Amino acid sequence: MSRNDQRNSERMSSDGYELYYWDGKYVGPGRAEFARLLFVEAGVPYKDISEGIMEKFRQADQQWTGFPTFAVPLLKKGSFEISQTPVICRYLGKQFGLFPDNEEDQWHAEQLNATIHDYIAEGRYAFHGIKPFESYFGQEKETQPYIDRFLAERLPKYMKHFEKMLAANDDGRSFVVGGKVTYADLGLLHVLRATAAQFPEAWAAVDYAPLVKAFKERMEARPNLAAYFKSEKCIPFSGNSMM
Ligand SMILES: N[C@@H](CCC(=O)N[C@@H](CS)C(=O)NCC(=O)O)C(=O)O
């Protein structure tokens, strides 16, 4: 390791993790929850920071100090900053050992990571069909056809895919890939929780995907996660968007 690399790695590890995101009071758990579940499962402390985010996004250059960030969530450790939720999840998974052991499983976990984020983005856009970057409130009526289409065509397609994916490993009895929990399992758990919270009727009808349903229950019962979901720290879903 060069002296420069050594200095960088010392700087990165010198402080705790900070997770920058919109205030959960207004937006619910959102995309930051993907990262939170990794911290919770691993038992690693972190700090949620929402103060000043709105102001930063109003500024043209956004004034983040480190490597340029397009949108939150943003993870910071020392001087190291990283954004894009699927990348944050992969990074934290690797840091915390919530990462598959062999290379094929690693790529498959990454495939699922990408699919999960496609799903969440599609679901989110359905609630903002007319003005994608404005609140759902103010476009409720006009965007309803997009929500209906998502429910009729896309949600079941994704759920059937998740069912197949689970069935492909250990007959769906354990994890998405390999023999241990990884960031891919935690990502899948969050989108299933978001689906169940946002679309209770559609979720109740997901009897065509029993492995998916059992997976959600099994993951929610993991000790650290179960305690977190019961705690005040866990931000309720907002009910007006997938994310
Ligand atoms: N692909 C990005 C999307 C990030 C994103 O859309 N973040 C939202 C909050 S959940 C945001 O702050 N958007 C502001 C913008 O896009 O200008 C990710 O997965 O992190």
Side-chain angles (χ1 to χ4, degrees), residues 21-22 30-31 57 62 70-73 83-86 117 124 133 243:
Y21 196 64
W22 305 106
R31 282 185 166 97
F57 272 89
Q62 294 181 15
F70 183 78
V72 289
S83 57
Q84 282 294 356
T85 319
H117 286 273
R124 191 233 164 238
F133 304 107
M243 279 292 113

Short mmCIF file of all heavy atoms in Angstrom, two decimals, residues 21-22 30-31 57 62 70-73 83-86 117 124 133 243, ligand 1:
data_model
loop_
_atom_site.label_atom_id
_atom_site.label_comp_id
_atom_site.label_asym_id
_atom_site.label_seq_id
_atom_site.Cartn_x
_atom_site.Cartn_y
_atom_site.Cartn_z
N TYR A 21 -29.87 12.12 4.29
CA TYR A 21 -31.12 11.85 3.56
C TYR A 21 -32.17 12.86 3.99
O TYR A 21 -32.05 13.50 5.02
CB TYR A 21 -31.59 10.41 3.84
CG TYR A 21 -32.62 9.92 2.86
CD1 TYR A 21 -32.30 9.77 1.52
CD2 TYR A 21 -33.92 9.61 3.27
CE1 TYR A 21 -33.24 9.33 0.60
CE2 TYR A 21 -34.86 9.16 2.36
CZ TYR A 21 -34.52 9.03 1.03
OH TYR A 21 -35.45 8.59 0.12
N TRP A 22 -33.25 12.93 3.20
CA TRP A 22 -34.39 13.78 3.58
C TRP A 22 -34.92 13.36 4.93
O TRP A 22 -34.83 12.18 5.31
CB TRP A 22 -35.52 13.65 2.55
CG TRP A 22 -35.11 13.94 1.14
CD1 TRP A 22 -34.93 13.02 0.16
CD2 TRP A 22 -34.84 15.22 0.55
NE1 TRP A 22 -34.55 13.65 -1.01
CE2 TRP A 22 -34.50 15.00 -0.80
CE3 TRP A 22 -34.86 16.53 1.04
CZ2 TRP A 22 -34.17 16.03 -1.67
CZ3 TRP A 22 -34.53 17.56 0.17
CH2 TRP A 22 -34.19 17.31 -1.16
N GLY A 30 -37.83 5.76 2.95
CA GLY A 30 -37.20 6.06 1.66
C GLY A 30 -36.03 5.18 1.29
O GLY A 30 -35.86 4.07 1.81
N ARG A 31 -35.22 5.70 0.39
CA ARG A 31 -34.08 4.92 -0.09
C ARG A 31 -33.00 4.75 0.99
O ARG A 31 -32.22 3.81 0.93
CB ARG A 31 -33.48 5.59 -1.33
CG ARG A 31 -34.27 5.34 -2.60
CD ARG A 31 -33.53 5.94 -3.80
NE ARG A 31 -34.05 5.48 -5.06
CZ ARG A 31 -34.93 6.15 -5.81
NH1 ARG A 31 -35.42 7.28 -5.41
NH2 ARG A 31 -35.33 5.65 -6.96
N PHE A 57 -29.92 21.08 -1.70
CA PHE A 57 -30.48 20.75 -3.01
C PHE A 57 -31.04 21.96 -3.73
O PHE A 57 -31.23 21.92 -4.94
CB PHE A 57 -31.49 19.62 -2.90
CG PHE A 57 -30.80 18.30 -3.02
CD1 PHE A 57 -30.31 17.67 -1.91
CD2 PHE A 57 -30.56 17.75 -4.27
CE1 PHE A 57 -29.60 16.48 -2.02
CE2 PHE A 57 -29.86 16.57 -4.39
CZ PHE A 57 -29.38 15.93 -3.26
N GLN A 62 -24.98 22.37 -5.28
CA GLN A 62 -25.24 21.45 -4.18
C GLN A 62 -24.19 21.45 -3.06
O GLN A 62 -24.42 20.91 -1.99
CB GLN A 62 -25.46 20.02 -4.70
CG GLN A 62 -26.73 19.95 -5.52
CD GLN A 62 -27.01 18.56 -6.04
OE1 GLN A 62 -26.43 17.60 -5.57
NE2 GLN A 62 -27.90 18.44 -6.98
N PHE A 70 -25.07 13.24 -6.95
CA PHE A 70 -26.22 13.73 -7.70
C PHE A 70 -27.44 13.87 -6.79
O PHE A 70 -28.18 14.84 -6.86
CB PHE A 70 -26.52 12.80 -8.87
CG PHE A 70 -27.64 13.28 -9.74
CD1 PHE A 70 -27.43 14.28 -10.67
CD2 PHE A 70 -28.92 12.74 -9.62
CE1 PHE A 70 -28.46 14.75 -11.47
CE2 PHE A 70 -29.96 13.20 -10.41
CZ PHE A 70 -29.73 14.21 -11.34
N ALA A 71 -27.68 12.86 -5.97
CA ALA A 71 -28.87 12.89 -5.11
C ALA A 71 -28.63 12.04 -3.88
O ALA A 71 -27.83 11.10 -3.91
CB ALA A 71 -30.08 12.36 -5.89
N VAL A 72 -29.33 12.39 -2.78
CA VAL A 72 -29.25 11.55 -1.59
C VAL A 72 -30.06 10.28 -1.83
O VAL A 72 -30.95 10.29 -2.69
CB VAL A 72 -29.78 12.32 -0.35
CG1 VAL A 72 -28.79 13.39 0.05
CG2 VAL A 72 -31.16 12.89 -0.57
N PRO A 73 -29.78 9.20 -1.09
CA PRO A 73 -28.89 9.11 0.06
C PRO A 73 -27.41 9.22 -0.28
O PRO A 73 -26.97 8.79 -1.34
CB PRO A 73 -29.20 7.72 0.66
CG PRO A 73 -29.80 6.92 -0.43
CD PRO A 73 -30.50 7.90 -1.31
N SER A 83 -22.53 7.84 -3.05
CA SER A 83 -23.99 7.86 -3.22
C SER A 83 -24.38 6.83 -4.26
O SER A 83 -23.53 6.07 -4.72
CB SER A 83 -24.47 9.26 -3.59
OG SER A 83 -23.82 9.71 -4.75
N GLN A 84 -25.64 6.84 -4.65
CA GLN A 84 -26.32 5.82 -5.47
C GLN A 84 -26.60 4.61 -4.56
O GLN A 84 -25.70 3.82 -4.23
CB GLN A 84 -25.52 5.40 -6.71
CG GLN A 84 -25.60 6.39 -7.85
CD GLN A 84 -27.01 6.52 -8.47
OE1 GLN A 84 -27.94 5.80 -8.10
NE2 GLN A 84 -27.17 7.44 -9.39
N THR A 85 -27.86 4.47 -4.19
CA THR A 85 -28.23 3.47 -3.17
C THR A 85 -27.70 2.06 -3.46
O THR A 85 -27.16 1.42 -2.57
CB THR A 85 -29.76 3.46 -2.98
OG1 THR A 85 -30.23 4.81 -2.99
CG2 THR A 85 -30.14 2.79 -1.70
N PRO A 86 -27.86 1.55 -4.70
CA PRO A 86 -27.36 0.19 -4.90
C PRO A 86 -25.86 0.07 -4.67
O PRO A 86 -25.38 -0.97 -4.20
CB PRO A 86 -27.70 -0.13 -6.37
CG PRO A 86 -28.33 1.07 -6.96
CD PRO A 86 -28.51 2.11 -5.90
N HIS A 117 -33.73 -2.12 -7.50
CA HIS A 117 -33.75 -0.66 -7.66
C HIS A 117 -34.54 -0.23 -8.90
O HIS A 117 -35.13 0.84 -8.92
CB HIS A 117 -32.33 -0.08 -7.55
CG HIS A 117 -31.88 -0.10 -6.12
ND1 HIS A 117 -32.16 0.92 -5.25
CD2 HIS A 117 -31.27 -1.07 -5.40
CE1 HIS A 117 -31.71 0.59 -4.06
NE2 HIS A 117 -31.15 -0.61 -4.11
N ARG A 124 -42.00 4.19 -7.69
CA ARG A 124 -41.96 5.60 -7.29
C ARG A 124 -42.51 6.49 -8.39
O ARG A 124 -43.30 7.39 -8.15
CB ARG A 124 -40.52 5.96 -6.92
CG ARG A 124 -40.40 7.29 -6.24
CD ARG A 124 -39.40 8.18 -6.93
NE ARG A 124 -39.58 9.55 -6.49
CZ ARG A 124 -39.84 10.56 -7.33
NH1 ARG A 124 -39.99 10.35 -8.61
NH2 ARG A 124 -39.99 11.77 -6.86
N PHE A 133 -40.82 15.12 -10.43
CA PHE A 133 -39.98 15.63 -9.35
C PHE A 133 -40.77 16.50 -8.37
O PHE A 133 -40.20 17.26 -7.61
CB PHE A 133 -38.75 16.35 -9.92
CG PHE A 133 -38.00 15.42 -10.84
CD1 PHE A 133 -38.03 15.59 -12.22
CD2 PHE A 133 -37.32 14.33 -10.32
CE1 PHE A 133 -37.39 14.68 -13.05
CE2 PHE A 133 -36.67 13.42 -11.14
CZ PHE A 133 -36.69 13.60 -12.52
N MET A 243 -41.23 5.03 -2.29
CA MET A 243 -39.98 5.44 -1.64
C MET A 243 -40.11 6.87 -1.18
O MET A 243 -40.77 7.66 -1.82
CB MET A 243 -38.80 5.38 -2.60
CG MET A 243 -38.24 4.01 -2.77
SD MET A 243 -37.41 3.38 -1.28
CE MET A 243 -38.47 2.05 -0.81
N1 LIG B 1 -30.55 6.28 -8.38
C1 LIG B 1 -30.47 7.06 -7.18
C2 LIG B 1 -31.73 7.88 -7.05
C3 LIG B 1 -31.62 8.87 -5.92
C4 LIG B 1 -32.86 9.71 -5.79
O1 LIG B 1 -33.71 9.80 -6.68
N2 LIG B 1 -32.96 10.33 -4.63
C5 LIG B 1 -34.10 11.17 -4.36
C6 LIG B 1 -34.56 10.93 -2.95
S1 LIG B 1 -35.09 9.26 -2.75
C7 LIG B 1 -33.66 12.61 -4.52
O2 LIG B 1 -33.19 13.22 -3.58
N3 LIG B 1 -33.79 13.13 -5.72
C8 LIG B 1 -33.41 14.49 -6.03
C9 LIG B 1 -33.13 14.63 -7.50
O3 LIG B 1 -33.15 13.62 -8.23
O4 LIG B 1 -32.84 15.76 -7.90
C10 LIG B 1 -30.30 6.14 -5.96
O5 LIG B 1 -30.71 4.98 -6.03
O6 LIG B 1 -29.74 6.59 -4.96
#
